[in-house]
Amino acid sequence: MAAAFVSKSLLRVGLVGQQNAGKSTVFNMLTGANQHIANYPGVTVDKKTGYYRHRESKVEVVDLPGTYSLTSFSLEERVARDFLLHDKPDVLVNVVDASSLKRSLYFTFQIMEMGFPVVLGLNMMDVAKSNGIEIDIPVLEHCLGMRVIPLVGRKKIGKKVLQDAVRAAAGQSELNMLQISYGELDTDINTLHSMIEEAGVAVTHPGRWLAVKLLEGDCEAERVLGQLLGEDNAILATARRVRENFAENHYMGVADYMVGCRDELASSIVAASVKETRVGRLSLTDRIDAVVLNRVAAPIFLIATVFLIYQLSIVKGYELTQYWWPFLAKFRALVGDVLPAAGMLEDSYLRSMGLWMVDSANALLNYIPIFLILFSLIAILEDSGYMARIAFILDKLLHIFGLHGQSTLPYILGGVFAGGCAVPGVMATKGIPDHRSRMATILTVPYMNCLAKIPFYTLLINVFFTPYKSWALFFLSTITIFVALLVARLLTVTVLKGTATAPFVMELPRYHAPTLFGVGQRAIERTWQYIKKVGTIVVAVSVCVFTLLQFPGADREKMAAFHGNMDQAVTAFYQAVEKSRYKEQLRNQTVLMDLINLNTTYKAARLTISSADASRALDARYEKKYPEFFPFLKPKGDKDAQIVSKALRNLTSQRDLLRRQIREAQIESSFLGMVGRSLEPLTQWAGFNWKINVAILSSFAARESSVATIGVLYQQGADENKSLEERMGAEAGSGNFTPLHALAVMVFFALYPPCLAATIMIKVQTGSYKWMLFSIFFPTSLGFAAASFIFTGGRLLGLTGIQVMGTFYGLVVLLTMLVGFFSSRGWGSPVCPSWGRLPSKAK
């Protein structure tokens, strides 16, 4: 047996353990792979795989979901259990929290019963030491019958010793691990074990483990045995008879008795191997929690945290975009140089498509500085342990509105702060144990502020609410939470009424100081995911939108009128330069077109210049490359050149105006434009013009497309590489689009149905097209009603955008408080009265 293991060129190691034991940190330590490490329970939903070399062997490490047991009630338990049963790793590394050894041993006992070679990774030894906990490693090894390796995963302490222990465990021919005794049930366990081996089931499932699970009444174990031997087999009948007799004689179930046996064993092992030197003294975590979990201070601290995140990331982060945008503008100019040259009024399809795609991407890539800061701050919350406190704080609140404490994770993934995505948020609802709370969460996760909504919010806020940025961002980040609670409550007392909630018990991890590397890695990884999405989905959608906005094209008569106006402008140019000595040089239409395009490129390049030295360098470069044209770009005392330069400015200005008018005419007469126009009689009550309608329609495929579409719909100034904020600001200055319009659009967008990907995921998770359609039409109706109330009501009352924002916010908060008050007093309570609800608690 030993030779078989040693000769294997690939060893498979399963990394198992309870949540918050630092399992993912140990995974990174062993493999060096990039891995999302969070201090929030349940983040790891799927197994993660990495590799490392040890001597002549290659070792595959599979990071399994953190779980407290090997039953089959939650997704995490099923994933871990299925891997152990079907993939059969060579060795298990059980990562445990050294500062909470007794609690961790409960899971250790369960994997020992499965018969795998096990190495115990005693992680967070530094935390245990700081808490006055001393562990006698040799004694613990003797008690468990396995190697115990002290670790500090985040500092890579113990890596080499652990790798050696894994290899040694893989080469063991016999296991000397502790066999757990269940007292008077041992005889029955041995009997079932023998029956399982005789039936041949032990070939696929560990015999003793399966016997224990059958006596516990594990549904999955009974299902597996029923499939293999039939529902009426003798093994199942024996297990059920033992459970019934035991319950009659002891007034308690077998499962509860077994839990007591494991707890007693864990207590004895801890008593023999652990010494506490600071009994009675509060730990740092307890002292911090005394403040941040205080009944009065907790909500204040939570709100302040959310406000600080937005203040630092979006408000301050936006200021950094002024240094980032010039790089994007240079990139657009480079692409423009590679593409076919611009025509006088109409560009080639290739140039138009190429610049459209670049403009669509640039409108979103401009927000990279914001996301880097935002993701860094969220990573700090995760790694510090405060994210789990948020779930603890919000449990009672969520319960009042028919949700579950475990709804917190889907909301956070969906973007309860910002920067999430509805797709993983909906997927994360698998861990919610009761159907009604899970359905309510699925249907309300899309209300959160997903990553794709932030550029749209940032754009409108920085154009229309500049003096009130912080308050506008706070409004958007919290109004969606209140709306989600109200909608969840509405759903649970109507279409989802009748399903009882499940108790919420969670563990609060100890506070940890986030590492600079971990936070930076997380921020870069998430920002890179955003960039990849821009480079794939958004660009693909932009092509579709471009096509829908391009065809069937503007009316021939309009185009003839535009070309006639351009011919008049060219004639006026030639008349203006007739008296200059350059008239013959510019007589050729091709030369004139080259000069116009060069002038446009030169002006765009100057907009990216931030210093006098850079300006002089730019002039020198253009003068050297275009000596025959540069005098017209920047005349220096040459009167004839000044005449041409002035005429060129007039011609370019007229050309830009006509090109803009052609684009608007094409969009208005396009397929998507016609739909947007047809909706205006209805959407005018919410303050939406046809351009906003087009942006909203295009955003259904991907939320990011809203900003990208607006970026190309508001084209005035695009050729001069002006930012989208500047271009929309010109529209705001004309009075056609006011802060009241912007507020209505933002609220609608916050409540607008999930994107296409999230809608598909809702279908997958609910298994129903009915709920998928409901997730589209209900939010659309709700969002439009709210936007119409804001815009039409604000206009009738003569209120400004910020005044309506405060009024609407107050009404929604008041309604939420009233609903919560009556719900907490039992009015329409969704809790099943036959068993009630267990309180949340932190262990």
Side-chain angles (χ1 to χ4, degrees):
M1 185 69 171
F5 275 109
V6 173
S7 64
K8 290 182 67 172
S9 60
L10 177 65
L11 295 179
R12 173 170 289 183
V13 177
L15 207 61
V16 297
Q18 295 182 338
Q19 297 167 353
N20 303 309
K23 188 167 49 61
S24 294
T25 308
V26 174
F27 175 75
N28 276 352
M29 179 185 74
L30 287 173
T31 66
N34 292 327
Q35 171 74 7
H36 183 101
I37 305 171
N39 213 298
Y40 187 84
V43 168
T44 307
V45 177
D46 299 313
K47 61 182 181 182
K48 308 296 180 183
T49 304
Y51 298 87
Y52 70 87
R53 302 290 306 186
H54 186 260
R55 299 176 187 172
E56 71 276 10
S57 299
K58 183 178 182 180
V59 183
E60 178 189 30
V61 183
V62 180
D63 180 19
L64 293 171
T67 176
Y68 291 101
S69 69
L70 287 177
T71 57
S72 57
F73 299 119
S74 71
L75 174 67
E76 292 85 357
E77 292 168 346
R78 289 197 298 272
V79 169
R81 180 161 150 168
D82 289 346
F83 172 80
L84 296 179
L85 290 175
H86 303 302
D87 291 65
K88 300 187 183 304
D90 299 316
V91 183
L92 294 182
V93 175
N94 178 207
V95 181
V96 305
D97 182 355
S99 61
S100 302
L101 181 59
K102 180 181 177 181
R103 173 181 56 79
S104 302
L105 286 177
Y106 182 83
F107 179 75
T108 303
F109 294 154
Q110 294 182 67
I111 61 172
M112 289 168 63
E113 289 180 322
M114 299 192 77
F116 292 101
V118 180
V119 175
L120 194 75
L122 204 56
N123 195 28
M124 302 186 191
M125 289 295 290
D126 54 338
V127 176
K129 183 179 179 180
S130 66
N131 291 338
I133 298 174
E134 298 177 0
I135 301 177
D136 191 325
I137 302 298
V139 171
L140 185 58
E141 287 183 330
H142 176 75
C143 291
L144 295 174
M146 66 177 69
R147 284 294 306 277
V148 177
I149 311 300
L151 302 170
V152 182
R154 63 190 182 92
K155 297 181 180 179
K156 303 186 185 307
I157 296 175
K159 174 182 176 180
K160 180 67 168 59
V161 181
L162 179 60
Q163 290 177 337
D164 291 339
V166 167
R167 181 177 179 82
Q172 288 180 350
S173 58
E174 294 183 5
L175 301 180
N176 299 312
M177 289 188 298
L178 168 70
Q179 180 168 302
I180 302 164
S181 174
Y182 293 104
E184 59 186 277
L185 283 173
D186 282 343
T187 301
D188 296 310
I189 292 174
N190 292 333
T191 300
L192 284 173
H193 187 184
S194 299
M195 296 174 69
I196 289 170
E197 288 189 335
E198 291 175 2
V201 179
V203 175
T204 57
H205 292 75
R208 178 176 171 83
W209 173 82
L210 188 56
V212 170
K213 285 299 172 186
L214 289 173
L215 285 184
E216 284 182 327
D218 187 279
C219 298
E220 183 66 14
E222 291 185 344
R223 185 188 66 80
V224 169
L225 201 64
Q227 286 181 340
L228 294 174
L229 303 178
E231 294 295 335
D232 298 327
N233 65 81
I235 299 175
L236 280 178
T238 301
R240 289 165 181 165
R241 185 175 62 253
V242 170
R243 289 202 306 269
E244 293 172 0
N245 292 338
F246 188 90
E248 289 180 4
N249 296 329
H250 296 79
Y251 302 102
M252 67 183 303
V254 170
D256 292 334
Y257 175 78
M258 286 183 165
V259 169
C261 292
R262 292 172 185 146
D263 185 72
E264 184 178 350
L265 179 59
S267 298
S268 65
I269 292 175
V270 169
S273 60
V274 177
K275 179 181 178 181
E276 296 190 35
T277 60
R278 299 182 183 178
V279 179
R281 293 180 58 181
L282 290 176
S283 66
L284 176 62
T285 293
D286 293 331
R287 292 197 295 270
I288 295 175
D289 280 343
V291 177
V292 300
L293 296 183
N294 178 273
R295 288 181 178 272
V296 176
I300 297 174
F301 192 81
L302 176 60
I303 293 174
T305 300
V306 176
F307 184 82
L308 183 63
I309 287 174
Y310 275 91
Q311 182 69 25
L312 292 178
S313 62
I314 298 184
V315 176
K316 298 301 180 182
Y318 179 75
E319 296 176 2
L320 298 178
T321 60
Q322 62 181 310
Y323 304 103
W324 173 240
W325 177 256
F327 292 100
L328 298 178
K330 289 180 181 178
F331 173 71
R332 185 187 192 275
L334 289 174
V335 174
D337 291 339
V338 174
L339 294 171
M344 183 65 79
L345 285 183
E346 297 179 86
D347 297 338
S348 66
Y349 190 85
L350 179 60
R351 180 179 179 83
S352 299
M353 172 74 78
L355 290 181
W356 176 283
M357 293 168 62
V358 172
D359 288 339
S360 299
N362 277 0
L364 296 165
L365 294 177
N366 188 42
Y367 300 103
I368 286 178
I370 293 175
F371 290 133
L372 283 171
I373 298 174
L374 178 64
F375 292 147
S376 298
L377 294 174
I378 292 179
I380 290 173
L381 289 183
E382 291 175 338
D383 288 352
S384 66
Y386 183 66
M387 195 71 86
R389 270 73 184 174
I390 295 173
F392 179 78
I393 293 169
L394 295 176
D395 174 44
K396 290 185 178 179
L397 174 64
L398 292 174
H399 164 60
I400 289 173
F401 292 91
L403 296 169
H404 194 275
Q406 293 183 14
S407 301
T408 308
L409 176 60
Y411 279 165
I412 291 175
L413 293 176
V416 69
F417 292 140
C421 178
V423 174
V426 173
M427 291 174 62
T429 59
K430 292 179 180 179
I432 300 177
D434 65 278
H435 178 68
R436 193 200 51 198
S437 294
R438 180 171 176 265
M439 288 296 302
T441 307
I442 288 174
L443 295 171
T444 52
V445 161
Y447 292 114
M448 300 299 103
N449 294 309
C450 73
L451 178 69
K453 293 180 181 179
I454 298 175
F456 189 78
Y457 294 155
T458 306
L459 168 66
L460 294 182
I461 287 173
N462 281 290
V463 173
F464 297 98
F465 295 97
T466 303
Y468 313 102
K469 287 182 183 179
S470 298
W471 295 112
L473 290 168
F474 180 76
F475 165 81
L476 286 171
S477 64
T478 54
I479 195 68
T480 51
I481 299 174
F482 292 121
V483 172
L485 293 176
L486 289 172
V487 171
R489 180 59 186 169
L490 176 64
L491 295 176
T492 53
V493 297
T494 54
V495 294
L496 297 176
K497 186 178 181 180
T499 305
T501 58
F504 171 59
V505 180
M506 72 167 297
E507 174 199 358
L508 298 184
R510 286 178 171 81
Y511 288 104
H512 299 284
T515 63
L516 180 62
F517 175 79
V519 170
Q521 181 190 44
R522 194 90 45 76
I524 292 173
E525 284 179 353
R526 291 176 174 177
T527 304
W528 177 241
Q529 290 176 355
Y530 173 76
I531 293 173
K532 287 193 296 184
K533 193 171 185 180
V534 170
T536 54
I537 297 176
V538 174
V539 172
V541 170
S542 71
V543 173
C544 297
V545 173
F546 175 81
T547 303
L548 291 174
L549 290 174
Q550 194 75 11
F551 297 100
D555 181 81
R556 288 187 178 182
E557 293 183 3
K558 287 185 177 180
M559 291 302 299
F562 290 136
H563 282 284
N565 291 336
M566 189 70 247
D567 291 340
Q568 293 178 8
V570 171
T571 300
F573 170 82
Y574 282 127
Q575 291 176 349
V577 302
E578 182 67 28
K579 296 181 180 180
S580 73
R581 68 176 186 272
Y582 298 107
K583 64 179 181 179
E584 294 300 328
Q585 178 183 347
L586 301 173
R587 185 71 64 185
N588 189 294
Q589 288 275 354
T590 302
V591 172
L592 177 61
M593 193 69 251
D594 291 341
L595 176 59
I596 293 173
N597 287 334
L598 179 63
N599 181 56
T600 301
T601 304
Y602 176 72
K603 289 193 300 181
R606 288 195 63 84
L607 290 175
T608 65
I609 298 302
S610 57
S611 66
D613 291 339
S615 178
R616 287 191 290 270
L618 177 70
D619 288 345
R621 187 167 66 251
Y622 269 77
E623 186 173 11
K624 181 179 179 180
K625 191 173 182 179
Y626 308 102
E628 71 280 13
F629 286 150
F630 187 75
F632 309 139
L633 304 181
K634 196 169 184 179
K636 300 177 181 178
D638 186 341
K639 292 185 178 180
D640 288 343
Q642 290 175 351
I643 292 174
V644 175
S645 178
K646 181 179 179 181
L648 180 63
R649 289 197 301 271
N650 293 334
L651 177 61
T652 303
S653 177
Q654 183 65 20
R655 173 182 178 248
D656 291 342
L657 174 62
L658 291 173
R659 286 171 65 90
R660 190 164 58 249
Q661 290 175 344
I662 289 175
R663 288 175 187 150
E664 291 180 356
Q666 287 177 333
I667 292 173
E668 286 187 54
S669 59
S670 68
F671 294 123
L672 203 55
M674 286 187 285
V675 175
R677 286 286 189 189
S678 66
L679 291 175
E680 267 193 329
L682 176 64
T683 62
Q684 65 177 343
W685 297 102
F688 303 167
N689 58 29
W690 69 273
K691 293 182 179 181
I692 297 298
N693 291 343
V694 171
I696 289 173
L697 291 171
S698 68
S699 71
F700 179 69
R703 284 287 178 269
E704 295 89 343
S705 300
S706 56
V707 175
T709 304
I710 287 178
V712 291
L713 290 176
Y714 287 88
Q715 278 290 308
Q716 185 172 359
D719 291 332
E720 290 80 28
N721 277 335
K722 291 184 178 180
S723 67
L724 181 53
E725 284 83 356
E726 294 175 301
R727 280 135 58 189
M728 284 202 76
E731 183 89 0
S734 66
N736 295 328
F737 204 82
T738 66
L740 190 59
H741 289 84
L743 176 63
V745 172
M746 287 190 297
V747 170
F748 177 83
F749 202 75
L751 306 181
Y752 187 50
C755 64
L756 182 61
T759 303
I760 294 173
M761 186 52 58
I762 289 175
K763 163 62 177 66
V764 171
Q765 294 301 316
T766 62
S768 168
Y769 284 104
K770 178 188 71 173
W771 288 118
M772 183 188 76
L773 295 174
F774 181 86
S775 72
I776 296 174
F777 292 109
F778 178 78
T780 301
S781 303
L782 178 64
F784 184 73
S788 299
F789 174 80
I790 287 172
F791 180 74
T792 303
R795 278 209 312 179
L796 291 175
L797 297 175
L799 301 177
T800 64
I802 193 66
Q803 289 173 335
V804 175
M805 182 184 294
T807 303
F808 181 75
Y809 190 81
L811 291 174
V812 172
V813 171
L814 178 61
L815 179 60
T816 306
M817 293 175 64
L818 290 174
V819 171
F821 174 76
F822 286 111
S823 297
S824 64
R825 294 175 64 88
W827 172 68
S829 177
V831 180
C832 179
S834 61
W835 56 273
R837 179 181 176 84
L838 298 178
S840 301
K841 62 180 179 182
K843 296 182 181 180

